[in-house]
Every structure is written in structure tokens, then in C-alpha cells.
Amino acid sequence: MTDLSDLPPARPWRSSALWPAAALLASLALWGYAVTHTDVSGLGDFGLVGALHPAFWAGLALLTAGFWLTLRGPYRHPAWAPAYVVGLLVMERATQAVVYPTPLYAWAWKHDAVIDHLLTAGRLQSADVVGDMAVYDQWPGFFAAQAALVKLLGVDSAAQFMAWWPLVSSLILLLPLLLMYRTFTEDRRLVWLAVWIFSVANWVGQDYFSPQSVAFALHLGILAIVLRRYAGGTSAATSTSGKAGGPRQAVWTVLFTLLVVAVVISHQLTPGMLVVSLAVLFFARHYRDKVPLITTAVIFLAWCLTAALPFLSATMPDMLRSIGDIGGNVATGYGATPTGTGAVTTSWVARLLSASVLLLAAVGALRQPVLRHRALPLLLLALAPLPMFAASSYGSEMIFRVLMFMLPGAAFFAAAALLPQARTLTAVEAQGTRPEPRRFVWLPLLALLAGTLAFVPSYSGKDRISYFPPAEVDLVRQVIDKAPDGSLVVAADRNYPLAFADYWRVDHYWFLDDAREHVDRIVREPAATLARDMASVEAPGRAYVLFTRGQFADSEMNGLLDKGQLDRIERSVAASPLFERVAGNSAGSAYALRSGTETPEPKEADR
């Protein structure tokens, strides 16, 4: 088999560059026009998908076709594939940062609060000071680094740059992915197509402003080092003198150790997944050096038995109970039941996208036995996360994390399925060039186009939940700023900006986290029940109840409470003499429990 991408262009560079440059520039021009003509003020059930200007879809389709033809056409240059991939990441990950005036995701705002806490307190604190939020002080790597970045940039908070984090974290992933794939093939078509497929299949949203985004990149970087520097027989795992253990190997070992430490102190799940991955590679005898596995396991265990011990001691019983409960761990991965046409449709598009990539990966592994043999470590790494289903639900997110950790290896073999003549590491294995049927050119293009377009609803289809307009940010900020120390902020759930703001001095309570019986009691008798829940706040603290569009969207789209029930709760609070309105705008309202007001006793049926 021959890799035509390694042949020199058949025409001069200037001539062969015209159409790839034109297609790329036209795609980006269409994207630029689309994002400046997209109105996100009234998102519907399909999120950003329903708001995007049609030029966006035309630009994305043109970009995909241009990328494919630069891979398969006769006038290729090595620079075009990476240029198209960067263009893809811009269209995928920068669109939301451009069209939304505020950062997405309540979890990103939570992480901003943790950074604010570090900057305010100036040190890590324990559970007796900050309660459950102390878990973030037990894995402080990401937050400490971001606090330093906030100081370095001279900005008020991480909220001023975290909207661009998905693009930044996705660009960071390119280096470890390229190192991993280049370990097993010299076929540029296969490498860049695998990167493209990884990018369009990575819809689970862990690229946002979070420890997971950095830990995942470090995880892949560590695996790339092991595969290239420790795996005998497939890479240059020797020193300058040709013997393992030389000065150069020592440098790689030091780098490896530093990366492992960074992962361990930043995230709970990723170090465990890293140990599993290294163990799979070691026991499958794809590298014989015990140092990577032992070093990682020792550092991970040491952190768990010291800094992270308080959290692990408290959660260990629940973790042990979930071991082996595969059905429960997988079922909770979908959280509440999506409701509405948009939520259901986008959920199924995402599932079909992941299933299609995994199916293509299986086809690629079966159709190309030589590649399967050479790149068996990548296949093992794609399968290694599966036992995690039996370990834990990981807060109802394990299925998404497993998909993410499987994706680098799966994308490589999925790309091999779309390239019938992919080449492995050594050019000696080439058996000559055979013409490919035209269906092998156009059918893969259609599959690639379908997957690329499917990424958008999978990734952005629920932005009605994730996006918080400036008015909502302003409303919550008004409440937090005026709340005295020791106050309580009550809301239906935590899906609103600044939901954890000032958590070291203001308590937060979300009643949809309670047992169903108590939620039903609030629905039946909203104002009186909430007033009783909030009455324990001691002066000078005050108790506030907050109603925002983000809470309503999350509750409705996930089938928690419908709009009628939520409206009834808000109307009851607004009309009750127990509460006074203290803030409000187009995004919601906030009410405070009146001081000195006696709360009514619960009805007999609610006792």
C-alpha cells in the first residue's frame, strides 16, 4: 500500500494552493458572516442549532469537503490538513464564545468561584470552613494555576477569559494526539483524519473551563511519552548512545513524573484512568519498563492517602456500593429524563454520533489487520476505559467520561475505516498502488460530512440550559453583593451563573436536590414551605429565594418540574407577605424572607 500524501505535488505549489486556500478562506468567511448574524436572545429547545444563521452550515460543509479533498486529491501539500483542522476547531469551539456575551455552563461559573475563593483566602481550606466545597481544595492544581493566571493577566476573575477555554483546550490536545498517532503511522492522511474525527466526536463537553480539560490533555501527553519513549520496538525509546537509561531517557522520565503529578493534584478520575491505561499496556507487553506504571500508581496512592483522604473517607461507602452496578452506573449517566422535541432529538443525535464512530473503529480494526497489529496499543487504550462502568457512576457522568477516554484510540481506527489504503509505520510494507473504486472516495466523504454536522446539535443543542444572558448574571450578582455574611440563597437548582459565588460566606441551597416528598410539598404550598426552610438563618444574615431563566430551562428540559409548577412556586412567593422582592429584571426575580416574620406551621398532611 502506498501513501500518496508523501509524494511531491504534481503541480507547482502556487498552482496547487489556489483551490485549498479558496475553500478554507470561503469557509471561514461564511462562518464569520454567520456568527455576526446569529441572534441568541431567544433560544428554543434546539439551543444554538435553531439560532445559527444558515451560512454557518454552508461554511462547515464546505470546510469538510475541502479537508477531504486535500487529503485525497492529487495536489496536496502537508500544510493544508492542519490548517483545515484548526479551522474546524475555530468553527466548533469558538462559535459560542463569539455569539454569547457571557460564558456558558453553570459548572464553569462554579470553577470561577473556586478560583475566587483561592484568591480571597490566599490558602487552601478544610471542610470545617467551606463545607463540601473543600473537595476542590483537595485537588487544587487547576485552580491554583488559574488563580496565578488571573493575577498575571490583571483581570478581575477567570470569567473574563473562560468563554474561550473550549478552543484553547482543544488546540492543546492536538500535540499529544499527533504524537500518539505518528507513533504508529507515517500516513499523514490517516493522522489528520483521525484528529478530525476525534474533534467532531468529542461532543461530551469536557473541554469547558474545568480541571478535566487540562487533566485529559496531560493524560494523553503521558500516554504519548510512554508509547514513544518506553515502548520497545515501535519507537525511539533509546538514548543518544542507543541504550535505554541514558541522559535523554532520564529527561523523559522527569518530564513524565511532572506530568503525572500535575494530573494527580488536579482531578479525581483521570489518575485512576491513567493507571488503568498504563497497566493495560504493560501487561499486554507493549512496553517492558515498570517505571511509568509504578511511578503513576505510587504518586496517585500517596495523594489519596494524604491531601485527598478527607473526601475519600466520606465518599468511600457510596463508591464501594456502586462497584459492579453497571446498569445503575450507566443509567445515571443520562441524568433526568430529557423532555421536549429538542432535548430528545439532540440526545439521540449525540448517541448516534458516538455509536457511529465506535462502529467505524471496529470496521477499521477488522479491515486492516496490518494496521491493527502495528497500532494494537491504541486499540487497547480504546478498550481500557470500559471497566470503569463497573467502578462508579461518577456523579451520573461516568458514561460520558468513558466515551471521552475511548475516543483517541477509536478515532484512529475509525479514520482507518475511511481510508482503505492507510499505511503503517514502515514504508517497506507497501505493496504497490492500486486504484480505489470511486465509492471509496465519496461514501467516506458523506460519512465525514454527516458526523461533522452532527457535532453541532450534539455539542450545542442544549444551550438553552447552558447559556445565561447578561441580565441573569446581573440579577444574581445583585443578590450576592447585598447578602450579608451568613446569608442563604435558595433556588430550584444550581443551573444559573454565580450559583456558588462567595460560598465561603454565603450558603446555597437547591430544593430540587431534596427528596421527592419535600419537592412535592413545595409545589403544593410553595411560599410557606420555603419560608420554613429558610427560617433558620440567623441575623445579620438574610435568606433569599432566586428565580432565573436558567433554572426554569434546566428543570423543564430535564423533566424535573414543568413550567406550570415553577410559575406557581414563583407566583406564590411573589404574593406572600412572608417575602419581599429585592431584585428583578427580564431574566428573573429575587425575594428575601422578611425579618421577624413568623412562619406558618406545616399542615397535618405535610408533617
Side-chain angles (χ1 to χ4, degrees):
M1 294 178 289
T2 300
D3 175 19
L4 297 179
S5 68
D6 288 335
L7 298 177
R11 294 182 180 179
W13 162 246
R14 292 181 180 178
S15 175
S16 63
L18 291 179
W19 77 261
L24 178 59
L25 292 175
S27 301
L28 294 176
L30 287 169
W31 172 78
Y33 180 84
V35 296
T36 56
H37 290 78
T38 294
D39 181 10
V40 297
S41 60
L43 294 180
D45 284 349
F46 284 90
L48 185 60
V49 177
L52 282 170
H53 191 278
F56 177 89
W57 302 100
L60 191 57
L62 178 60
L63 185 81
T64 306
F67 169 75
W68 180 252
L69 294 177
T70 60
L71 289 182
R72 305 303 303 275
Y75 310 125
R76 288 165 296 184
H77 187 276
W80 288 122
Y84 272 87
V85 167
V86 171
L88 172 71
L89 294 179
V90 169
M91 294 183 71
E92 282 186 345
R93 262 73 182 189
T95 297
Q96 292 169 313
V98 174
V99 300
Y100 295 128
T102 57
L104 294 177
Y105 306 119
W107 283 96
W109 287 92
K110 179 180 182 179
H111 296 154
D112 177 49
V114 176
I115 295 166
D116 191 24
H117 162 251
L118 286 180
L119 292 171
T120 301
R123 59 187 177 88
L124 304 178
Q125 293 181 318
S126 58
D128 58 346
V129 179
V130 291
D132 292 342
M133 295 296 288
V135 62
Y136 295 98
D137 289 44
Q138 293 166 33
W139 277 276
F142 172 81
F143 304 106
Q146 295 301 326
L149 183 60
V150 168
K151 286 187 174 181
L152 180 65
L153 296 177
V155 296
D156 293 334
S157 71
Q160 294 184 248
F161 58 78
M162 66 187 186
W164 292 94
W165 197 258
L167 176 61
V168 173
S169 63
S170 297
L171 290 172
I172 291 173
L173 286 175
L174 290 181
L175 178 59
L177 286 173
L178 291 173
L179 290 175
M180 290 177 66
Y181 296 156
R182 290 287 291 177
T183 303
F184 303 103
T185 182
E186 292 177 348
D187 190 335
R188 294 189 185 96
R189 302 172 308 159
L190 179 56
V191 169
W192 287 106
L193 183 57
V195 172
W196 184 285
I197 292 176
F198 172 88
S199 300
V200 301
N202 189 22
W203 59 267
V204 297
Q206 294 304 316
D207 55 355
Y208 76 107
F209 188 71
S210 65
Q212 176 71 92
S213 64
V214 175
F216 184 55
L218 296 174
H219 168 84
L220 295 184
I222 292 168
L223 293 179
I225 290 175
V226 170
L227 292 173
R228 294 183 70 87
R229 311 306 304 185
Y230 291 89
T234 60
S235 64
T238 59
S239 66
T240 308
S241 61
K243 297 180 180 180
R248 182 177 297 179
Q249 192 72 3
V251 172
W252 283 107
T253 300
V254 170
L255 176 61
F256 170 88
T257 304
L258 292 175
L259 293 178
V260 170
V261 170
V263 171
V264 168
I265 68 174
S266 298
H267 198 244
Q268 301 99 322
L269 177 66
T270 306
M273 190 65 250
L274 181 59
V275 171
V276 171
S277 299
L278 293 175
V280 167
L281 292 178
F282 178 78
F283 290 110
R285 300 184 67 80
H286 282 281
Y287 68 92
R288 299 181 180 181
D289 195 333
K290 299 178 182 179
V291 171
L293 177 58
I294 294 176
T295 300
T296 304
V298 168
I299 295 174
F300 182 34
L301 184 61
W303 189 262
C304 290
L305 294 178
T306 54
L309 186 59
F311 171 78
L312 294 176
S313 299
T315 59
M316 189 60 67
D318 290 336
M319 294 172 63
L320 292 176
R321 280 193 293 269
S322 66
I323 293 178
D325 185 13
I326 299 177
N329 294 341
V330 173
T332 55
Y334 295 105
T337 303
T339 58
T341 304
V344 173
T345 301
T346 54
S347 294
W348 276 107
V349 170
R351 298 177 192 184
L352 290 174
L353 175 57
S354 294
S356 299
V357 171
L358 296 179
L359 179 61
L360 276 177
V363 171
L366 292 174
R367 291 184 67 250
Q368 305 219 32
V370 175
L371 189 66
R372 182 177 70 240
H373 173 72
R374 285 284 183 180
L376 182 59
L378 286 180
L379 189 59
L380 294 175
L381 290 175
L383 298 175
L386 291 176
M388 301 298 286
F389 281 132
S392 171
S393 69
Y394 196 67
S396 78
E397 292 186 355
M398 182 58 77
I399 189 171
F400 303 121
R401 306 303 173 97
V402 168
L403 285 172
M404 181 180 67
F405 283 111
M406 292 179 68
L407 192 54
F412 182 84
F413 284 97
L418 300 182
L419 292 173
Q421 292 188 6
R423 194 177 70 181
T424 55
L425 184 64
T426 55
V428 178
E429 296 168 351
Q431 300 296 324
T433 304
R434 291 177 295 178
E436 299 176 22
R438 292 181 63 84
R439 67 178 182 274
F440 286 145
V441 176
W442 298 110
L443 288 180
L445 171 58
L446 293 178
L448 191 66
L449 181 61
T452 303
L453 297 178
F455 168 86
V456 182
S458 302
Y459 187 74
S460 306
K462 295 183 179 180
D463 278 5
R464 182 185 166 210
I465 295 176
S466 304
Y467 168 56
F468 311 114
E472 189 167 359
V473 178
D474 292 342
L475 172 65
V476 181
R477 176 54 68 190
Q478 288 181 52
V479 175
I480 297 297
D481 287 348
K482 69 174 59 175
D485 291 356
S487 293
L488 172 69
V489 177
V490 177
D493 65 19
R494 64 195 72 191
N495 191 63
Y496 58 93
L498 302 164
F500 292 83
D502 290 11
Y503 61 83
W504 55 94
R505 67 174 193 88
V506 175
D507 290 330
H508 298 267
Y509 159 58
W510 305 281
F511 61 77
L512 287 180
D513 288 348
D514 285 349
R516 188 69 203 187
E517 297 78 21
H518 187 68
V519 175
D520 291 340
R521 190 177 305 146
I522 292 175
V523 173
R524 288 195 303 270
E525 195 180 5
T529 305
L530 288 173
R532 287 192 295 270
D533 292 342
M534 301 161 63
S536 60
V537 177
E538 298 180 358
R542 298 199 67 186
Y544 303 87
V545 60
L546 186 64
F547 300 97
T548 66
R549 59 157 302 282
Q551 300 170 54
F552 279 45
D554 183 52
S555 181
E556 289 179 62
M557 294 186 69
N558 283 317
L560 303 175
L561 291 178
D562 60 35
K563 186 177 185 302
Q565 292 171 313
L566 293 167
D567 286 341
R568 182 174 185 275
I569 294 173
E570 183 174 7
R571 287 196 302 268
S572 174
V573 170
S576 172
L578 300 173
F579 293 89
E580 60 177 329
R581 192 171 190 264
V582 294
N585 57 30
S586 60
S589 302
Y591 300 85
L593 186 66
R594 293 183 186 273
S595 301
T597 302
E598 292 188 6
T599 57
E601 292 294 324
K603 296 180 180 178
E604 187 66 28
D606 290 336
R607 290 183 185 274

